[in-house]
Every structure is written in structure tokens, then in C-alpha cells.
Amino acid sequence: MAEITAETVAAHGLSQEEYARVLHALGREPNLVELGIFSVMWSEHCSYKSSRIHLKKLPTEAPWVICGPGENAGVIDIGDGPDGTKLAAIFKMESHNHPSYIEPYQGAATGVGGILRDVFTMGARPVANMNALRFGRPDHPKMKHLVQGVVAGIGGYGNCVGVPTVGGETNFHPAYDGNILVNAMTVGVADQDKIFYSAATGIGNPIVYVGSKTGRDGIHGATMASADFDEKSEEKRPTVQVGDPFTEKLLIEACLELMATDAIVAIQDMGAAGLTSSSVEMATNGKAGIVLDMDKVPCREEGMTPYEMMLSESQERMLMVLKPGKEAMAEAIFKKWELDFAVIGEVTDTGHMVLKFKGETVCNIPLGPLAEDAPLYDRPALSLADYKAWAKVQPLGDVPECTDIGADLLKLMACPDLASRRWIYEQYDSQVGADTLQKSGGDAAVVRLHGTQKALAMSTDCTPRYCYADPYEGGKQAVAETYRNISAVGATPLAITNCLNFANPQRPEIMAQIVEALRGMGDACRALDYPIVSGNVSLYNESKATGGGSAILPTPAIGGVGLMEDHTKMATIAFKNAGDAIWLVGEAGAHLGQSLWLREIHGREDGSPPPVDLAAERSNGETVRSFIASGKANAVHDISDGGLLVALAEMALASNLGCELTISLDAASAFGEDQGRYIVTTHPDERLESAVRIGTVGGTSVAGIEVAQLREANEAFFRDWMEG
């Protein structure tokens, strides 16, 4: 076995202090297999060692929460299903940032595959995929290749596996030049009495490996995802896994078929750190031990070592604990679906992970230090005031007059952050399963629940420029934006998942972003009664690569899920009838700090982001939902990026109808991004309490610009970029 040197320790991403903890935990030098296992389990990606202290402060409970953070995905009660069943929604969001920068197609594809497994591992049939994508400057020499690869990877995997991709968001900013973000979310539905967890129990129960064979792809993926990029990032291509969506589809069906029996004690997907993390987490959650015979692991390459088998992140694999005597039945199911099946170990009472290979013990580690007692850091963080001084965001100061509102609107509708995403979403099958009621382009995606009048609404949101200028307000706004989008279609927001993307936590200014964004998220969740049930942390998203940016903008992406009791009452953003009244719920626009108008028209990223009044956010959301439920609302759209006029232009594009406004507009009222606001249209004779009438649907223009001209501007960016 190779000697463990200081260089070997450093290559495994462990500090000398952490290696001293390994020595203390074992009471001896580790061998290479043991060092590799400590390396991945103590990586930021698996242990959350820089964020755990702060994550524990988030609200995670509500009467409708069945299972919060700590399992493969979060679970919420969504009430009665057909035939007296009780249904649950199971969902989570994950990052695949570093792999997608190195190998965009496979990085994005395996991100989708991994999050699908997190959800169906718990007994749910996946019903929808979402994504949240951040790219650098469109004129960066690598960016077009990255966008094309990521979108093709998401579509290629989701389309083949037969789960609709129904929505998401895409932003561009120079801060992502050297480190793009690819966050994937899956929502599934299960019967409440058929939810599966990961705790390995029952001494002597068999541990079973199912799915694809183990290869050498993805070794050290979790470690790679816990480090900065540099000029040699291309050399990390072998750490990116390769996905096979057709095998994943077989794996979903085989697992759900076995779950319909009483054979499974525990089940865990092999995600980051593969066989290592899945076996450690199962044994830890069950307060048990585990012994594995590495000779029995199905391998697709000759001569694989225990080190390679334990650290491989080959895709489409699961680990299960079965009840004794159920092995033959389970094997028959997996063989029918043409998948590998092998009994590779058993549950023990030792509290240790023991690995055998060719008759020898090649690993014997106490489980405590690997998981529950992994390193935990309370890293230094700047105060919010000191952070703002470091960030050097200029005060807003004097804002130029808006001399031509229509021209500014036209320019905004053409900018990369607001341009039509048609080029992206037309590559995704959004209709497979025939339950998608609303997809990309509306405020939230809506998927009906089979055999009921109910539907799930879902949205992914974050405004990173707000989070950079004020991470506390930005964290609040990311949560509030999903609440608003879900309310705007008529659903009640129930819970969120998150994907917390930040740069190097060892820098106090970055740690301040993490601490303050989480504080803002927590305050918003408590005020909106909107708990966090699952999530993922992705740190070290920064690049030293030549020509790349440094740190990404702080990007705490939020995925929200809500419930609609009667999907026939669903609202959309499209204007319905000429003559309908247009109403504003919320205050008139006044806030231009950090607005797209200021950035795109005047080249300034100045000022504080718009503050989020959480009481108003909740009250206005409840008001809008009541308008939709009572049938008063003909169309609804929340006001976000670009302000009031952009929201009206999007409603016009969705319907081919223009609008006439009865209010006078300046830059702030037209393009201010004040929060907690909605546009609602009604029959002309309807009167809305708690809203102000601002105009009438009709004509062929918005702010003097023809809808056809707006459409051409809005469609041009992606079309010209991809064709050029």
C-alpha cells in the first residue's frame, strides 16, 4: 500500500490539522483506502463543514412537513389523492457546477440524473424537473460552448428518462465567466404510507448494490467540487461522471416495483462520493455498522482497487438494505429490468465501516468521525456593515432622467437577462406524462396530480446582484420571489428547497455573504410560514483560471413548491380580453437601486437592492390568491426584474394584446424593482379591494412600442447568438 506523505494528504484536500484528526480517530496511520474515504466524507461537498453551524438556524418545521433536511429529499403533505390515498410531494435541488464547467454536457446531464435519484430513492415517482443556470458574459470565448452543452445535457437526460423539464431561470454576469452554476431540481409524488428512508437497521440484514456497474469515472468528484478552479481545470475531466438516462429509467421502474413489496429496510442513492457516502450515511442514520466485500462489487473495468470502487461516482447506482430472505425476489426484479444486482455486505453492530478485499481487511474506520463528528468550522465573517464597505457598491446618488420610456423598454426586453428563453426550453420535453399545465414563460410551472383536481406549482428564483449588494436583503428576496411566483398562478406556497452557491468560505467577506444570506432566508421563511425541507451547499465557486472571473456572485438559489386545490382556476400571465381592467397590487415603483434598467441603460450596478417588506409580501400574496380563487382575476403576473413595464410587456407577448395605461410614468415607476407587487387583470366592471387600477388591456402596443417590435427584440438575443 502506498505510503501516506504530506503531499498525499494535500492531494486529498485535507489540511494538516484535519489529518491529525484522522490519526486521532484511528489511533494509527490510515492506509490509502481509509485516507480516500476520510477525504471525500470530510470534503465541503459531503460534510458541509463551513456551513452546518449556520444551516441549523433555518426553520424546517410546519404541520405539513413530513420530513425535513437530513434525508435524500424533503417531504411535505399534499393531502388526499385518488381512492382515499394520502399523497406527499418529495423534492430537492442540487448543484453540478464544477463538472458542468469542465464537461458541460455530461456535467449537466449527471446533475439531472443525481437529483432524480435523490427523489425516487424515497419512493416518489418524479413528475417534474426544474433548473437554475448562471453563465458569464455572452461574448466570453467559452460561454456559447458552455450554454449549448449544459442545455443539451439537461434536455438529453430529462427527455430520455421521461420526466418533463417544466421551468427554471437563466442569468448572465461576468462573475460567472470562470465558474458557471448548474442547479437542478426534481419534484416527485408518493403515497404517504410508501415513503422510504436511508437508515440501515437490523443486524445481519443484507446490503445490496443495484443499477449500473462501477467504473473509474467520477473518482474524486466530491473533492474536486470542494476546491477552487485554476488553469489546470481541464485536466479534471476524468473526475466528471458519465450518465446513461436509459439505465436511469430502468432503475426508476425497478426501484418503484420493489418498493411496492415489503422487502426494503433502507435505500440510498450513490451520489457524491458514491459507495462511500451512501454506505456511511445509511449506517450512521441507523446507528449501526457496515461490512462490505469489495470482491462482490459489480465493476465494468478490470483490476479495480477498493480505493477506486469506494470513490467512483459512476452513475445510476443505488444501495439498499433488504429484509432477510427477500434477496431472490429483489434480484428477479432487477434482472428483469436488465440491471446489476449483488449482495455485497451486511449491517453490523460494530459502529465501524469494514471493507474486505481478497480475504484481507483493507479498511476499518469508526463511523462517528466520518459523519457526525466530521470537522465543523465557525469561520470568521465580516459584519454586514464591513461587508458592504468591502463590496464597494456605490450609493445610488442622482439617477438620470428617463427621456424615452419606450426605447428603454425595447432595450431591456432585448438584454440577455430578459430575452426570451425559447431557444432553451424548446430543447426540453415539457409535456411528457401529459400533466404539465404551465411551463417556462409563466410565473411558476404547474403540474397536475393524476386522478385529482389538484396541481403542484413550482418555481426557482434568486437575484444574485441583490445578494452581492446586500446578502441579507438578497436572501429574503430569493425566498419571497418563489412565494410570489407560486401565488401568482393561484397555488399556496408550502415549502422550499435550496442550492446555496458561494465562493471560498475561508475568505471572511465570502463567509459574510453566506451568514447574511442564510439569515435573510430564515427570516423570510418564518414570516411567510414557508419552511426549508431540503437543500445543498456548493462552495469554492471561484476561478483562478486565466481570463476567468474570481468569485461568483453569492447565489442562494431557492426552489419553491406550492399546492393548488383546483387546477381549473389556475392563472396565467397572458392578457385575456381587450377592455379588461389592469390593476396594481402593491406600491407604485420607486426603487431603482440594483435595477436592470440602471445596469442595462446606464451601465451602473449601484445602490441598495429593493428592501423586502415580508408582512406586505405575505398580505399581497394572500390577496392575489383570493382574487384567483374567487374567479375575479383574468390574468396575473408578479413584478420582478425590469419592473412594471417589463411585466406588462411580458403579458402582452404572451397574448398578442397591448395595453393603455392611465398613470404617468417616470424611470422609477416604470422600471423600479420594488418587491411584493403583482399585476392583475379583471373584467372591466370588476372592482378589486386592495388594488389600484392603472390601465386597460387593448391595442397593439405597450408604452408606444408595438408588441411585434417587442417580440422581435425579445427573441433576437438567443437566436442571433446561437446562429452567429
Side-chain angles (χ1 to χ4, degrees), residues 10 30 228 232 249 319 507 538 555 608 629 635 719:
D228 295 342
K232 297 179 181 177
K249 174 63 173 169
L319 202 62
R507 294 165 52 191
S538 174
T555 312
S608 302
R719 182 192 65 211

Side-chain angles (χ1 to χ4, degrees), residues 87-110:
L87 296 179
I90 299 182
F91 58 99
K92 191 182 180 188
M93 199 175 192
E94 275 270 8
S95 61
H96 235 220
N97 305 331
H98 289 58
S100 299
Y101 185 82
I102 297 165
E103 212 325 296
Y105 184 94
Q106 290 296 348
T110 51

Side-chain angles (χ1 to χ4, degrees), residues 215-222 237-242 273 311-314:
R216 290 190 169 100
D217 55 325
I219 292 173
H220 281 305
R237 196 176 297 268
T239 62
V240 178
Q241 315 92 315
V242 177
L311 270 56
S312 165
E313 293 185 5
S314 294

Side-chain angles (χ1 to χ4, degrees), residues 367-433:
L367 285 161
L370 278 181
E372 290 177 339
D373 303 327
L376 186 61
Y377 298 127
D378 190 357
R379 297 197 186 275
L382 299 181
S383 68
L384 186 56
D386 287 347
Y387 167 79
K388 288 181 179 179
W390 171 86
K392 294 185 173 64
V393 174
Q394 296 300 311
L396 187 59
D398 291 332
V399 177
E401 290 290 320
C402 182
T403 55
D404 189 336
I405 280 178
D408 286 1
L409 173 63
L410 199 60
K411 189 171 180 181
L412 277 175
M413 294 304 289
C415 79
D417 272 3
L418 290 176
S420 167
R421 272 47 181 151
R422 181 190 306 279
W423 179 86
I424 295 177
Y425 65 69
E426 283 189 345
Q427 297 184 53
Y428 303 153
D429 186 342
S430 63
Q431 297 299 332
V432 61

Side-chain angles (χ1 to χ4, degrees), residues 82 188 196 227 232 269 288 366 429 435 451 624 641 644 657:
F196 291 83
K232 297 179 181 177
D269 132 65
D429 186 342
D435 286 324
V624 166
D641 279 352
L644 175 74
L657 285 168

Side-chain angles (χ1 to χ4, degrees), residues 465-531:
R465 64 183 186 277
Y466 294 177
C467 296
Y468 181 80
D470 185 332
Y472 172 71
E473 285 295 337
K476 281 164 61 180
Q477 192 273 341
V479 172
E481 176 79 6
T482 67
Y483 183 89
R484 205 178 313 137
N485 281 330
I486 289 166
S487 295
V489 298
T492 302
L494 290 179
I496 66 171
T497 182
N498 59 60
C499 199
L500 307 175
N501 308 271
F502 295 93
N504 187 337
Q506 296 177 52
R507 294 165 52 191
E509 62 272 15
I510 303 301
M511 205 61 222
Q513 294 174 349
I514 297 170
V515 172
E516 292 299 328
L518 284 169
R519 185 167 70 89
M521 285 166 51
D523 284 355
C525 289
R526 279 182 281 269
L528 300 172
D529 211 5
Y530 195 33

Side-chain angles (χ1 to χ4, degrees), residues 134 142 194 247 265 372 462 482 589 592 695 714 717:
R134 320 282 165 187
K142 196 171 179 178
K194 295 239 171 49
T247 300
V265 175
E372 290 177 339
C462 182
T482 67
L592 285 168
N714 193 235
F717 166 69

